[in-house]
Amino acid sequence: MRVCVVGCGAVGSLFAANLATLEDVEVWAFDAARAHVDAINRNGLRLVGAGEVTGRVRATTDPAELPACDFGIVATKAMHTAPAIAATAHAFTGGCVATVQNGIGNEEVVATHCERVIRGTTFPAGKILEPGVVQWDVKGDTTLGPFEAAPAPLEEIERLADACTRGGMPTTAVADARGPQWRKVIFNAATNPIGALTGLTHGRVCERPALRALVSRLVDEGKAVAAAQGIELDSDPEELIDYAARPEIAYDHKASMLQDVEARRQTEVDYLNGGIVEFGRRYGVGTPEHAAIWALVKGMEASWTQQ
Amino acid sequence: MTRVCIAGAGVIGSLFAGHLARVVDVSVLTRREEHARALNEHGLRVSGRAEFQAEVTAATTPGALPEPDLVIVASKGGDVDTMAGQLAGHWPGAILMTVQNGIGADEIVARHGGWRLLTSVTFMSGTRHSDTHVEYVLDTATWIGPSRGTTPADARTVAELIVSSGLRAEAFDDLRPAQWSKLIFNATINTVAALTGLRHDPHFAATGDPHDLGLLVRDLMDEGKAVAAAAGVTLGEDPWEMNVLATQRGHRHYPSMLEDVDARRRTEVDMITGSLVAEAHRLGVPVPLHEAMYRLIKAKEASWE
């Protein structure tokens, strides 16, 4: 089996390095960061932290070098999906492409270039420490299922899930993968921008009752949009929010969006709150709080270039 | 009017006390004993736009001061209730005038006694250098209107007195239309600026894309307008038009709440958004977006406190 990870940042690296430990899987990585690619080709791709793994991965910045693959795993930041998949789609003409990105709308973008698409949601997280070395912060499950408008066959999805699980990334193949995806999107959209706008860590957001109630309003709007589409959440995002607030879990965690804001990088808000607003509009569900948060974060991004 | 008492001598109270002492007898009710002592011993120095020394009588209890015709309640918004409680039972013949940001300060005072009341909002500003020295910085006006038991003529009398002392003031037959327009404008522009980091610029009036900030600005203003309508107030200027005009002038105003956030100071969100939300709750008008803005600003303050 040949797999190519498209976007070998923290999450992409977790998949690439773990899959590369398997004898029967050949792993490629496409990434724009030259230093990271060179380090991977020189020393292998190394994970430290929650798991110590070094995987033999063929990395490249040149999409023309990619051979035909059975599977693609797209793990770029959501705003980079379109150019990344446009550049690499030729490698997947006979294969299936999964996205394990944050937010909603990525499958739709992938499907403009690929015929067989897998809707994925993953909870493991980490960060790049230096080129070729990734800190594995949190272990977690991954769910894969067919993207309804351009579905990959279920047996292929099971083949990929099985490989990920054997490689050390527990993964389940399901017929409807929207439940876990919306649970994660609602979790992220209700908490990440609150951290970004206030500067508070996840735990500190949750211990302010009025602010926690605002988080719940965002959760409720998200749930209503999911329900209007007939999506059954696999569990309540509120549980995940409270669980993550525990001191031993992620109390001190700065949401990735807060990290983006502090570094003045474009955030994924368009695919989180923006995605919920857009799906709400399509299904006739009002989402005024998500619209407000979306506008505030976009305003914040705009302030970095205000003269 | 020949005797005025300034209750609460922060920046605004000190500016009133210093100027008015040039035309009438001024007493000052302070919170701290040493503040009263310093004012009695050294008087009050005003610098900046004017330069002079004023004599005042100061004490920490109303019983120690002569009965005034006018009391300007100039304590900080959060302290109005305490100050009015201290005045309870004193000076039944005096007119009390509140000068706090936001709305509702006159109603808080009304709960403590049967005085006749004026309401006002002031746009002047200064810097307090010490207990006995205040610098007059911005010479913008104080707007005054009638409240319980007073008439437009009372508002004009006080405005004329203030103008005669060298400050700017304007009387309104009904202050509420202007006050509410200003409140809705401020509660929106200040909080949006403080959370985004944007100065007041064309982003605030953009409505073309679904995530454009103008849509949020308009929604916040619509919530505010619904509260004003429920309170029986017909707005003066339309806050949205004020917003659009201000963003077209090409001068990107630096809202004070953004200034506070940039300096990591506590903001005035309680007086501004807080008073709008409190009024909305009292009238049973839903204001979820202003509540969200309020909570986000309070949380932002907590991030550095």
Side-chain angles (χ1 to χ4, degrees), chain A residues 33 37 51 99 119 124 134 232 253 258 264:
Chain A
V37 162
T99 111
R119 187 192 285 282
V134 170
E232 236 177 89
H253 178 67
L258 174 53
R264 301 198 155 197

Side-chain angles (χ1 to χ4, degrees), chain A residues 181-226:
Chain A
Q181 185 176 43
W182 274 79
R183 174 168 63 108
K184 187 179 183 195
V185 164
I186 292 170
F187 170 84
N188 281 333
T191 57
N192 283 8
I194 303 298
L197 288 165
T198 63
L200 295 177
T201 65
H202 180 75
R204 292 196 64 200
V205 166
C206 291
E207 69 193 7
R208 301 179 63 83
L211 198 61
R212 182 66 182 79
L214 174 59
V215 169
S216 286
R217 282 189 192 173
L218 291 163
V219 169
D220 289 345
E221 282 186 3
K223 283 180 182 171
V225 175

Side-chain angles (χ1 to χ4, degrees), chain A residues 193-194 196-200 204 208 210-211 213-214 217 270 277-278 288-289 291-304 306-307, chain B residues 191-192 195-201 203-204 210-213 216 219 252 287-289 291-293 295-305:
Chain A
I194 303 298
L197 288 165
T198 63
L200 295 177
R204 292 196 64 200
R208 301 179 63 83
L211 198 61
L214 174 59
R217 282 189 192 173
D270 287 344
V277 170
E278 175 56 21
E289 309 263 359
I293 296 294
W294 189 19
L296 288 172
V297 175
K298 296 303 278 184
M300 198 186 241
E301 292 177 1
S303 78
W304 304 329
Q306 193 183 50
Q307 295 302 304
Chain B
T191 53
V192 170
L195 287 172
T196 60
L198 283 171
R199 291 177 177 227
H200 193 198
D201 77 352
H203 286 103
F204 287 67
H211 56 72
D212 273 344
L213 211 47
L216 172 61
D219 287 347
R252 292 175 294 102
V287 285
L289 294 177
E291 284 170 359
M293 301 300 277
R295 292 168 192 186
L296 290 169
I297 299 277
K298 296 304 278 185
K300 205 174 180 77
E301 290 176 352
S303 77
W304 64 73
E305 272 172 9

